[in-house]
Amino acid sequence: MLRTATCGELRADHVGQTVTLCGWADKYRDHGGVVFVDLRDRYGITQIAFRMEESSETQKLAASIRHEDVIQVTGEVVSRGDENKNPKLATGDIEVRTNDLKILNRSLTPPFEPRGEHLANEELRLQYRFIDLRRPALQEMMKVRHQLTTSVRNYFDELGFLDIETPILGRSSPEGARDYLVPSRVHEASFYALPQSPQLFKQILMVAGYDRYYQIARCFRDEDLRADRQPEFTQIDIEMSFVDLEDILSTIDGLLARMVKDVRGTELKTPLPRYTHAEVMERYGTDKPDLRFGMELTDISDLVAESGFGVFKNTVGSGGKVRGLCVKGAADKYSRRILDNDMKKIVGEHGAKGLAYFKVVGNGLESSIAKFFNEDEQKAIVERMGGEDGDLLVYVADKYEVTCAALAALRNHLAKDLELYDPKELNCAWVVEFPLVTRNEEENRWDAEHHPFCAVHPDDLEYFESDPSRIRALSYDLVCNGYEAASGSIRIHDPAVQQKIFDLLNIEAEEAERRFGFLLQALRYGAPPHGGIALGLDRWVMMFMGTDNIRDVIAFPKTQKASDLMMGAPSTVDDHQLRDLHIKVDLPE
Amino acid sequence: MLRTATCGELRADHVGQTVTLCGWADKYRDHGGVVFVDLRDRYGITQIAFRMEESSETQKLAASIRHEDVIQVTGEVVSRGDENKNPKLATGDIEVRTNDLKILNRSLTPPFEPRGEHLANEELRLQYRFIDLRRPALQEMMKVRHQLTTSVRNYFDELGFLDIETPILGRSSPEGARDYLVPSRVHEASFYALPQSPQLFKQILMVAGYDRYYQIARCFRDEDLRADRQPEFTQIDIEMSFVDLEDILSTIDGLLARMVKDVRGTELKTPLPRYTHAEVMERYGTDKPDLRFGMELTDISDLVAESGFGVFKNTVGSGGKVRGLCVKGAADKYSRRILDNDMKKIVGEHGAKGLAYFKVVGNGLESSIAKFFNEDEQKAIVERMGGEDGDLLVYVADKYEVTCAALAALRNHLAKDLELYDPKELNCAWVVEFPLVTRNEEENRWDAEHHPFCAVHPDDLEYFESDPSRIRALSYDLVCNGYEAASGSIRIHDPAVQQKIFDLLNIEAEEAERRFGFLLQALRYGAPPHGGIALGLDRWVMMFMGTDNIRDVIAFPKTQKASDLMMGAPSTVDDHQLRDLHIKVDLPE
């Protein structure tokens, strides 16, 4: 090695040793003939002092050091003395005094400094990703990502799972999101598709007897990107045979405890709390509740059904609901303008026509509409809401589903705005008993809530004829900090049940073959009972690190337009490449 | 779990216990009212005996069990007694007696049996891969593959390497093999390319300060496939900063020792032997010598320069070489017909015009051309070759390069045919000091032997002007059992040396930017000295398992026509998918 120590490891214990360090010149300053350089590598920073009274050549060279030059120094570890110690730095007790300097490589003036005070704009940072990736914060992200995957691998390895690679060049399926396609050169007019997940392969592996499979798998979706999506993302993918739902949930409880222990050194309490789908919809309005804070949805429909406020009364009268949130101590936090504009807009985006609000004063209400409620009604509302003097109450009156969606969004917004939680806290829970199917009123049919291979709760087989909306799937989501952090199900292995579901979903035999051909084929040749789950790795790193930006946890991410600004991808290609693939570009006139 | 034990774990110790097993019905037989089923899972096989005098329903059900049905049984572990023990089976001391049987799933009659005596043809097996993957031999392959990757990960994790994922959706580069392309939907007329390796990214990661990187990375090459190639393959990819060649070689020596220890439980002697490129060409005729056996190439040019055999004499006279092999004890192994046809064909495929051969008799030669050599010449040849009575000597007379290629191929063929080695032996060595460039006579220029970023041996800088063919690269291949099992180099980080190489290769600035743009850009902003290596994982599993078929070590491989016969990929896609991507199929008329 060109070094004997890293820039992160020298301490007072090392004083007197001669060491060789390599790294990047971070801050530098010339202090009356002594040049100081903060030398940086991914392990830390060490102060180098060039005290070269007798070596004017080295002195000249040291004075020429600029940001991001790569240097090698050999010198003595020296105590900085009490007055010059830097307690903010792990190596702050010492410095390395040297007159032996080698410039390994010069750097052009970087467009921004990795440890600069202000973050450069993201486009520039993505373009110069090799410099941005020197930021200690990003290096920490990559390190934690590595620790997480290592933890996952060790856990499953110890439990006898096999890590099995599945193809990236797969077959296009008309299911779900849009596929990325890869034209075949050998087979004219034919295409591979990049996998949206290894779902079919992991089920095939169970049919093939692999029993316990996991993979940290790359997946691809050609979707219009939201802030937290990437065209390629990574999934911790798991499937097990001869198991029931409890086995999967407890396996994943154990995984999370291991991840938290390995990465944070703390204990996660397991088993994780478990909620039914119906319960979280009632209490939080969403199947992805953020449980780091309370502020649950409360239904006051019965209390306002006869009130003088027409909007509430009429909503309840026509079968709708009036539900709301009690925002503790927030009565004076938000102006009428903010409530009538910003907050109303949030609920409006989820279909609500308006937002009603009150301040709690004593055990009564205050607002422009408070007058429509008599004293008893006000008291009852405050009591139901658990309101106290100074709380803010907000309400949506609408169909049940709209109150759910609107208040769930508002709840998240308020909690973030009021900093009701620690962004690095991990709060995980299971949501189980999702409905198997949802009614698609527009097309007058039933759609699968997850996919058509979810097993059915054994108590609910009777509802296939009477009321399909009541059939619960043996599916489960892990929700963490308001995100779907994992999702899975027990799969159907019984061809008769599978047929019932296809019938319910109105999928005819021919269509089923076309859409799921090779899996259906495999299931006929001795499929064991099996089930599985997948965790979004990128999301888990984000949650561990408390960041909302998915591009912070991926070394070479793409923009929301699916571009890689550093390498310039996608790009045009040579005509002969397209000719080889028997395709041509076909732009609209 | 639906079981309390696997089919591989019950022993005499467990006798008397009540267990529940799940698995696939392998062999079954009805023995006068007792049905025996070999129950199989990936852990082993346990004999189940249905002795159900009183339970005729279960008896009927047991008698209905057919190959590959999935069943669950609960029963007592019973000793088979000395007379019925099966010493070939790990569980052969016991059987499970039961009258509690549940058929978890029926199987259609499988097209072949996973443990059938004869292997079905490969096309059928690939089509029904989910059955083929139940073969214990293939399950062992997947297990060893898992053990190898686990071993690799643990090794690098302990050394402080970070596992960092690099993109699959990359940018097309005109370098090397043909790219797989992925049309972009968002950017019209633009394409991503699947990576042929993470080479550029790992160098970027070094520039970005990650210091020690590894990844088990999927790579893609759209090449016409040979028997041992796949369109997608897996690479153990490594890069390190602030290192020299010795650091990389010793790191990989340690990796191999760890892999051998973890997977085979044996010690690998390190450091591995090291040969220069010139030496292996001289001794084995190839830079990928199989060192599991000797039979080195021997030059007899000087001994036959004046002989009466015109072919030898003239070859030497015109600057060519006469080189050959001594095949121990093989004088009577091969008929004249085989030597004149099969063997001659092998050397012919590498440009040799003929194959001369002799038997060693005493210390003289015997063959149709022996008469052209006098006694002294014969004696000298036998001595030089280390020949003994009964050996076969074979020769090629041609240009040096032709003798190398022809005899290397013949040497491999003979060793395999004569079973001179154990296919599961691992014999590894380093080949170093490759030439930096080779002369492309046709196009009158120098081509890079590896790629244009290989660093140069510090002693050879002077040859840039005088004789570029003498410049040695700081590159290294790990050869194992005759294969290139790893390849890498120290990279250039000095822009001045990089420019010298571009000049030598006649790559102009503009072309360099177009071909290597973002890496060149990154190298200007503080690139540390760095180097790396990549190991072909599929090849390593093949070598550990002693198989020549790459499709045996990949769960879902593709055929030599790059098809997946199970899922039917590649396939046609819907027109709207192509419209979304702004492409259309363009077949020649």
Side-chain angles (χ1 to χ4, degrees), chain B residues 261-448:
Chain B
K261 174 117 198 162
D262 285 352
V263 176
R264 292 200 170 164
T266 59
E267 301 292 329
L268 180 75
K269 207 179 141 202
T270 57
L272 294 175
R274 209 180 285 186
Y275 301 89
T276 67
H277 181 263
E279 187 180 1
V280 291
M281 294 309 285
E282 186 61 28
R283 292 174 59 184
Y284 305 99
T286 170
D287 55 7
K288 295 185 267 293
D290 192 334
L291 300 166
R292 285 174 296 183
F293 53 93
M295 199 160 63
E296 298 186 12
L297 276 58
T298 304
D299 192 329
I300 58 164
S301 307
D302 55 322
L303 306 180
V304 299
E306 303 302 329
S307 73
F309 187 53
V311 175
F312 282 10
K313 185 177 170 183
N314 296 339
T315 297
V316 179
S318 60
K321 296 286 178 188
V322 179
R323 297 164 85 203
L325 306 171
C326 175
V327 194
K328 299 309 285 180
D332 297 323
K333 287 266 179 182
Y334 297 110
S335 67
R336 186 170 290 196
R337 196 179 48 79
I338 290 179
L339 288 160
D340 285 341
N341 292 290
D342 305 12
M343 303 284 178
K344 189 177 161 192
K345 196 176 153 210
I346 291 168
V347 296
E349 279 164 1
H350 295 86
K353 289 175 290 292
L355 182 73
Y357 52 86
F358 309 91
K359 294 179 181 183
V360 179
V361 179
N363 53 10
L365 300 176
E366 203 179 284
S367 85
S368 58
I369 57 168
K371 60 189 174 207
F372 298 112
F373 302 88
N374 66 34
E375 201 174 321
D376 284 350
E377 285 168 339
Q378 294 196 7
K379 217 170 137 181
I381 289 172
V382 171
E383 196 183 325
R384 171 78 56 85
M385 301 299 293
E388 293 167 305
D389 206 52
D391 290 351
L392 170 71
L393 307 180
V394 293
Y395 294 94
V396 170
D398 215 306
K399 283 190 294 189
Y400 180 76
E401 291 75 16
V402 173
T403 63
C404 281
L407 288 169
L410 186 59
R411 177 176 175 271
N412 281 341
H413 173 81
L414 287 166
K416 186 167 184 178
D417 196 52
L418 296 168
E419 298 182 359
L420 297 187
Y421 55 86
D422 170 359
K424 286 203 175 188
E425 185 192 334
L426 280 181
N427 191 311
C428 302
W430 290 106
V431 178
V432 296
E433 299 188 7
F434 280 75
L436 182 74
V437 291
T438 48
R439 188 73 192 162
N440 183 334
E441 293 295 351
E442 257 169 59
E443 309 208 5
N444 192 29
R445 63 161 195 240
W446 295 100
D447 285 340

Side-chain angles (χ1 to χ4, degrees), chain A residues 110-258:
Chain A
F112 52 89
E113 286 158 29
R115 287 175 72 245
E117 256 178 72
H118 302 288
L119 216 50
N121 84 60
E122 193 172 18
E123 193 172 322
L124 189 68
R125 287 190 289 116
L126 287 173
Q127 203 180 333
Y128 289 88
R129 187 68 170 173
F130 44 88
I131 296 173
D132 197 33
L133 278 170
R134 290 179 192 162
R135 263 198 295 143
L138 275 193
Q139 298 198 330
E140 184 66 18
M141 299 273 183
M142 296 306 134
K143 194 171 131 194
V144 166
R145 188 176 178 115
H146 168 85
Q147 288 170 337
L148 273 174
T149 57
T150 301
S151 177
V152 169
R153 293 184 188 286
N154 289 344
Y155 178 76
F156 285 117
D157 189 46
E158 287 162 22
L159 288 180
F161 282 71
L162 294 183
D163 175 5
I164 299 178
E165 294 182 70
T166 56
I168 298 289
L169 292 170
R171 180 189 164 94
S172 181
S173 137
E175 286 303 288
R178 216 182 268 112
D179 282 326
Y180 279 107
L181 296 183
V182 182
S184 163
R185 178 177 55 86
V186 181
H187 303 271
E188 291 178 352
S190 294
F191 297 81
Y192 303 97
L194 306 185
Q196 296 183 20
S197 89
Q199 179 69 32
L200 298 180
F201 288 106
K202 68 177 176 174
Q203 291 197 241
I204 294 270
L205 284 170
M206 293 306 107
V207 176
Y210 284 79
D211 204 85
R212 300 179 149 218
Y213 145 94
Y214 91 97
Q215 187 186 192
I216 298 186
R218 203 73 63 84
C219 306
F220 304 84
R221 279 184 204 167
D222 187 7
E223 287 176 330
D224 294 315
L225 303 176
R226 300 199 310 251
D228 63 346
R229 290 280 180 94
Q230 283 278 307
E232 49 182 309
F233 57 97
T234 304
Q235 185 165 300
I236 305 167
D237 199 44
I238 295 139
E239 197 82 6
M240 302 169 76
S241 291
F242 304 118
V243 291
D244 58 26
L245 182 143
E246 295 297 331
D247 297 314
I248 307 244
L249 266 50
S250 67
T251 301
I252 302 305
D253 279 354
L255 171 68
L256 298 189
R258 175 69 170 265

Side-chain angles (χ1 to χ4, degrees), chain B residues 119-133:
Chain B
L119 217 50
N121 85 61
E122 193 173 18
E123 192 171 321
L124 189 67
R125 286 189 289 116
L126 288 173
Q127 203 180 331
Y128 290 88
R129 188 68 169 172
F130 45 87
I131 296 173
D132 198 32
L133 278 170

Side-chain angles (χ1 to χ4, degrees), chain A residues 126 225 229-231 551 557-565:
Chain A
L126 287 173
L225 303 176
R229 290 280 180 94
Q230 283 278 307
R551 292 177 296 281
K558 294 194 172 57
T559 64
Q560 287 190 43
K561 286 200 173 290
S563 297
D564 183 312
L565 299 182

Side-chain angles (χ1 to χ4, degrees), chain A residues 1-3 22 24 42-43 68 70 104-105 107-109 128 130 133-134 139 142 145-146 150 153-154 157 160-172 178 180-185 187-188 190-192 201 204 206-212 218 220 222-224 232 234 242-243 247 493 495 518 521-522 524-529 537 555-556 558 561-563 566-572 577-578 580-587, chain B residues 1-3 22 24 42-43 68 70 104-105 107-109 128 130 133-134 139 142 145-146 150 153-154 157 160-172 178 180-185 187-192 201 204-212 218 220 222-224 232 234 242-243 247 493 495 518 521-522 524-529 555-556 558 561-563 566-571 573 577-578 580-587:
Chain A
M1 296 288 293
L2 307 185
R3 66 189 172 206
C22 291
W24 285 261
R42 84 155 143 104
Y43 310 95
E68 302 308 310
V70 186
L104 295 173
N105 216 348
S107 171
L108 297 183
T109 304
Y128 289 88
F130 44 88
L133 278 170
R134 290 179 192 162
Q139 298 198 330
M142 296 306 134
R145 188 176 178 115
H146 168 85
T150 301
R153 293 184 188 286
N154 289 344
D157 189 46
F161 282 71
L162 294 183
D163 175 5
I164 299 178
E165 294 182 70
T166 56
I168 298 289
L169 292 170
R171 180 189 164 94
S172 181
R178 216 182 268 112
Y180 279 107
L181 296 183
V182 182
S184 163
R185 178 177 55 86
H187 303 271
E188 291 178 352
S190 294
F191 297 81
Y192 303 97
F201 288 106
I204 294 270
M206 293 306 107
V207 176
Y210 284 79
D211 204 85
R212 300 179 149 218
R218 203 73 63 84
F220 304 84
D222 187 7
E223 287 176 330
D224 294 315
E232 49 182 309
T234 304
F242 304 118
V243 291
D247 297 314
H493 67 278
F518 71 99
Q521 173 81 337
R524 292 183 193 111
Y525 286 91
L537 175 63
F556 302 103
K558 294 194 172 57
K561 286 200 173 290
S563 297
M566 181 185 72
M567 63 173 148
S571 70
T572 56
Q577 290 179 280
L578 299 185
D580 281 354
L581 301 174
H582 327 291
I583 58 168
K584 65 180 180 188
V585 170
D586 179 36
L587 299 180
Chain B
M1 298 287 293
L2 306 187
R3 66 188 173 207
C22 293
W24 285 262
R42 83 155 144 104
Y43 309 95
E68 302 307 310
V70 185
L104 294 173
N105 216 348
S107 170
L108 296 184
T109 304
Y128 290 88
F130 45 87
L133 278 170
R134 290 179 193 162
Q139 297 198 331
M142 296 305 132
R145 188 176 179 117
H146 169 84
T150 302
R153 292 184 188 286
N154 288 344
D157 188 48
F161 281 71
L162 294 183
D163 174 6
I164 299 178
E165 294 181 71
T166 55
I168 297 289
L169 292 171
R171 181 187 163 97
S172 183
R178 213 181 272 113
Y180 280 105
L181 297 182
V182 182
S184 163
R185 179 177 55 86
H187 302 271
E188 289 177 353
S190 294
F191 296 80
Y192 304 96
F201 288 104
I204 295 270
L205 284 171
M206 293 306 105
V207 175
Y210 284 80
D211 203 83
R212 301 180 148 216
R218 204 72 63 85
F220 304 84
D222 187 8
E223 285 178 331
D224 294 315
E232 50 182 308
T234 304
F242 304 118
V243 291
D247 296 315
H493 66 279
F518 71 97
Q521 172 80 338
R524 293 183 191 112
Y525 287 91
F556 301 102
K558 293 193 172 57
K561 287 202 173 289
S563 297
M566 182 185 71
M567 62 173 149
S571 70
V573 296
Q577 290 179 279
L578 300 185
D580 281 354
L581 301 174
H582 325 293
I583 59 168
K584 64 180 178 189
V585 169
D586 180 35
L587 298 180

